[in-house]
Amino acid sequence: MMDFNNKSIFITGGTGSFGKQFVSYLLATYSPKKIIIYSRDELKQFEMQQRFSEPCMRYFIGDVRDNERLKIAMKDVDYVVHAAALKQVPAAEYNPNECIKTNINGAQNVIDAAITNNVSRVIALSTDKAANPVNLYGATKLASDKLFVAANNISGATGPRFSVVRYGNVVGSRGSVVPFYRQLLNEGKTRLPVTHPEMTRFWITLDEGVQFVVKNFSRMQGGEIFVPKIPSIRITDLVEAMSGSREYDEIGIRPGEKLHEVMVPEEMAHHTLEFEDHYVIVPAITFFDKDLDYTQNRAGEVGTPVADKFEYHSGTNPQFLTIEELRVLDKATS
Ligand SMILES: NC(=O)c1ccc[n+]([C@@H]2O[C@H](COP(=O)([O-])OP(=O)(O)OC[C@H]3O[C@@H](n4cnc5c(N)ncnc54)[C@H](OP(=O)(O)O)[C@@H]3O)[C@@H](O)[C@H]2O)c1
């Protein structure tokens, strides 16, 4: 397991759902030298300071679009988690260039600042929407994934190592379906809206997401896209778990929305390894070290190539949560 004791950890988008849970875990488990939160909005930082005011906490106002600010802010940092993003699908469709500036240009700025400051390891958070993207949000995250994978080439043999963690819907995160449904139920609604009754999604809790990122810091050699094995849900099961009824209002698929999500597309099967609890998509192009063997990670775990035509797809996932399991999860995150 990674040792974050006496280390400086830099989190872009540290005031978001992931950032707060990650900080909570770091403070409960280690004695970091510094935890630096880097984000734009002073109110979110002020509120976070009420909860996390330990002496190692630092709150920096800054934008990932601001190259110079990032370079100064990342001084003497050991590890970076890049969580800052614009992530609302409709907002990205409506303001495409804003999404490109934050999610793509911002990613390159994080890479440049990490290389300038010679940080040790960087993990960028990605999403299932980046696999075979159909909306701009997913497309920007795919471009960001490509930048982080290729950054290992620029950083050379002794520079920072960059990897990506890709996962699906985080239960209860800001702006997601569970808090939306909860709000409607609190307002007295009895029938919840469903875009399409056959819709499925990958499902991960915030804590599982944090644990997966932490583990990958000790697994990473640079260039991997780490994908956890997680369950899927049927949206109609979620409706029943939360409202107690299978009645819903069908409102139609929204622009840029898929019926199912994919985390490893079939076209990437020949670049994918299966480990016990996760998959790794290895770089299609060999970068800094031609002898790098991804079948054994730095933590000593061994992976094997997946079958031809393998696809990790939320609709064909062998593991689905039951309505009862969804009910328990809903209670635990409310
Ligand atoms: N939530 C999910 O279901 C999910 C699923 C898969 C992957 N992910 C990925 O996980 C990451 C974290 O998601 P999350 O749920 O924690 O998001 P979140 O709660 O919306 O937090 C996003 C954070 O990014 C910051 N931010 C936005 N634009 C910024 C900019 N230009 N410069 C600096 N900071 C900026 C925000 O703070 P300010 O507004 O104050 O700047 C906020 O702290 C994202 O990369 C997302 O794509 C999320």
Side-chain angles (χ1 to χ4, degrees):
M1 210 55 173
M2 199 70 191
D3 185 3
F4 291 103
N5 286 316
N6 208 26
K7 299 286 192 227
S8 294
I9 304 126
F10 187 90
I11 312 166
T12 70
T15 55
S17 304
F18 176 90
K20 282 189 280 193
Q21 184 78 13
F22 183 48
V23 167
S24 168
Y25 171 78
L26 287 176
L27 291 173
T29 318
Y30 302 97
S31 299
K33 190 189 228 166
K34 275 189 216 162
I35 299 178
I36 303 165
I37 304 299
Y38 185 91
S39 62
R40 299 165 306 169
D41 173 27
E42 58 185 357
L43 179 62
K44 285 203 274 299
Q45 291 200 358
F46 172 76
E47 285 165 357
M48 190 168 171
Q49 277 178 53
Q50 312 303 304
R51 190 172 153 204
F52 303 109
S53 58
E54 284 73 358
C56 67
M57 294 301 300
R58 302 283 186 281
Y59 292 88
F60 290 4
I61 298 283
D63 195 315
V64 291
R65 299 178 185 186
D66 185 343
N67 203 357
E68 289 309 311
R69 171 68 175 140
L70 259 181
K71 280 186 183 157
I72 294 165
M74 223 183 265
K75 192 165 175 289
D76 294 332
V77 160
D78 298 292
Y79 303 119
V80 174
V81 175
H82 176 44
L86 291 181
K87 58 165 210 191
Q88 293 290 333
V89 171
E93 298 298 306
Y94 199 68
N95 308 275
N97 203 31
E98 297 307 306
C99 188
I100 288 168
K101 283 191 252 180
T102 295
N103 294 0
I104 302 181
N105 301 353
Q108 187 60 49
N109 290 339
V110 169
I111 291 165
D112 291 345
I115 292 174
T116 302
N117 287 289
N118 203 26
V119 311
S120 169
R121 295 180 206 185
V122 179
I123 287 189
L125 299 188
S126 181
T127 160
D128 46 13
K129 295 184 174 63
N132 290 349
V134 296
N135 53 54
L136 187 82
Y137 166 58
T140 61
K141 293 298 274 189
L142 177 63
S144 167
D145 294 357
K146 298 277 182 197
L147 289 171
F148 277 99
V149 169
N152 293 284
N153 199 22
I154 315 169
S155 72
T158 55
R161 297 276 72 99
F162 299 89
S163 297
V164 171
V165 164
R166 175 184 288 175
Y167 51 61
N169 284 42
V170 177
V171 188
S173 63
R174 288 192 325 148
S176 66
V177 64
V178 168
F180 175 58
Y181 278 177
R182 217 172 263 150
Q183 185 193 333
L184 293 179
L185 292 168
N186 288 341
E187 285 167 4
K189 297 255 177 352
T190 48
R191 286 167 74 98
L192 293 172
V194 161
T195 57
H196 193 289
E198 280 165 34
M199 183 168 285
T200 63
R201 285 293 179 264
F202 286 110
W203 216 234
I204 187 168
T205 67
L206 213 38
D207 189 46
E208 286 164 346
V210 166
Q211 295 304 322
F212 188 61
V213 168
V214 168
K215 277 190 194 152
N216 292 326
F217 267 108
S218 51
R219 290 171 170 152
M220 62 183 276
Q221 308 190 75
E224 305 94 333
I225 298 178
F226 291 100
V227 174
K229 291 185 184 172
I230 51 178
S232 290
I233 65 138
R234 291 180 190 85
I235 196 72
T236 47
D237 290 346
L238 180 68
V239 165
E240 184 170 350
M242 292 187 69
S243 72
S245 157
R246 253 193 127 69
E247 302 283 306
Y248 52 80
D249 289 325
E250 191 173 335
I251 56 170
I253 285 213
R254 292 177 303 175
E257 196 175 45
K258 287 182 185 173
L259 204 49
H260 308 285
E261 295 286 359
V262 175
M263 286 219 270
V264 180
E266 192 185 312
E267 295 76 10
M268 295 309 288
H270 56 296
H271 292 298
T272 302
L273 299 169
E274 179 170 12
F275 289 76
E276 192 184 342
D277 66 353
H278 67 283
Y279 299 100
V280 168
I281 306 175
V282 304
I285 302 169
T286 315
F287 292 117
F288 53 102
D289 180 356
K290 293 201 170 12
D291 298 324
L292 203 59
D293 176 12
Y294 286 105
T295 59
Q296 179 156 3
N297 65 27
R298 282 171 60 110
E301 297 160 328
V302 175
T304 49
V306 299
D308 268 1
K309 298 196 185 302
F310 168 83
E311 181 183 41
Y312 193 35
H313 180 284
S314 65
T316 54
N317 187 359
Q319 196 195 349
F320 269 83
L321 290 181
T322 63
I323 295 169
E324 190 45 41
E325 284 168 330
L326 279 168
R327 224 172 255 141
V328 171
L329 208 53
D330 177 35
K331 285 215 176 68
T333 58
S334 63

